[in-house]
Amino acid sequence: MAYSDSVKNFRAENALLPYLVSRSADEKAIETIFADYNGFASLYGEDVLQPVVDYGINQKLGKALKTTSDQVAFDDFVAAQQKYFSDKTWKICLQTLGSRYYLAMKKDTVGFLKFSIKNPVLYQYHFNALYSTLVAKKGFTPQVMQLFCQWANAIITENSGLEFMKTAAEIHQKAGMRLATTGL
């Protein structure tokens, strides 16, 4: 907070640099960035700003759902945040919010997968990390496997990275083997 209090103009050259390097920010900086997201995105670029936005939106979600974490409260929070961001950034924010809400707070893999199918975007680690977690925890129930395949179909394209394609192929292979052995 001491740094934020010392900053006279957040739009001054390199004023956000400490936040961009640390990939986090305090509440004052987050509110400032969100209030003028387009301005900061034009200064630094959406991709550079995204980790701070992810951190900030997760902080805001935790605070907003501190007393209640029901679906209505989450949906209301999501609806209130969209106005701050470009369409590209918002898709990524939805993935970040869905991961935090469904996986971290609710421990609901099925809910996360349904949310991700409804809001498809391939961003950083979400897809491969969830796959690795489910393999390690033996969490691929028939429903989870089917939903994971649907999510893969919605986000993986011929332009996706090789690692993402490999993960998509592995889950489809697992689903195919399950179908072959169960006759479903």
Side-chain angles (χ1 to χ4, degrees):
M1 185 64 119
Y3 178 74
S4 281
D5 290 338
S6 72
V7 176
K8 304 259 188 271
N9 177 6
F10 277 94
R11 292 182 54 83
E13 186 174 347
N14 296 324
L16 290 187
L17 195 56
Y19 303 119
L20 299 174
V21 170
S22 68
R23 303 169 71 93
S24 65
D26 58 41
E27 191 171 343
K28 181 178 179 181
I30 290 166
E31 291 304 323
T32 301
I33 292 166
F34 282 27
D36 186 19
Y37 172 79
N38 289 328
F40 287 107
S42 69
L43 284 174
Y44 296 98
E46 288 181 301
D47 293 337
V48 172
L49 204 54
Q50 190 65 50
V52 175
V53 168
D54 288 344
Y55 178 85
I57 206 156
N58 273 331
Q59 295 303 308
K60 289 179 75 160
L61 178 65
K63 193 173 182 180
L65 300 186
K66 192 172 191 171
T67 59
T68 180
S69 64
D70 66 13
Q71 187 68 48
V72 171
F74 175 70
D75 292 342
D76 289 347
F77 176 82
V78 168
Q81 300 306 305
Q82 184 174 1
K83 65 185 175 198
Y84 294 114
F85 306 106
S86 69
D87 289 342
K88 175 187 172 194
T89 296
W90 183 241
K91 285 180 179 184
I92 295 169
C93 289
L94 283 173
Q95 192 77 171
T96 300
L97 289 168
S99 179
R100 172 75 187 269
Y101 179 71
Y102 289 105
L103 297 176
M105 295 172 81
K106 300 301 262 179
K107 310 293 187 224
D108 181 3
T109 303
V110 168
F112 173 75
L113 290 169
K114 288 179 178 179
F115 183 83
S116 294
I117 292 164
K118 185 178 171 186
N119 301 289
V121 66
L122 182 59
Y123 176 62
Q124 284 190 344
Y125 57 87
H126 295 285
F127 182 72
N128 285 358
L130 182 57
Y131 176 80
S132 296
T133 299
L134 291 171
V135 167
K137 292 184 176 184
K138 298 183 181 4
F140 274 113
T141 64
Q143 182 183 23
V144 168
M145 193 174 300
Q146 176 192 16
L147 291 169
F148 206 99
C149 286
Q150 288 176 2
W151 184 30
N153 292 345
I155 61 175
I156 304 300
T157 69
E158 65 275 359
N159 298 320
S160 300
L162 185 57
E163 200 57 35
F164 296 115
M165 289 182 193
K166 180 180 175 223
T167 300
E170 286 177 15
I171 188 58
H172 279 83
Q173 183 179 30
K174 286 180 187 296
M177 288 187 328
R178 183 189 172 285
L179 290 174
T181 60
T182 61
L184 296 177

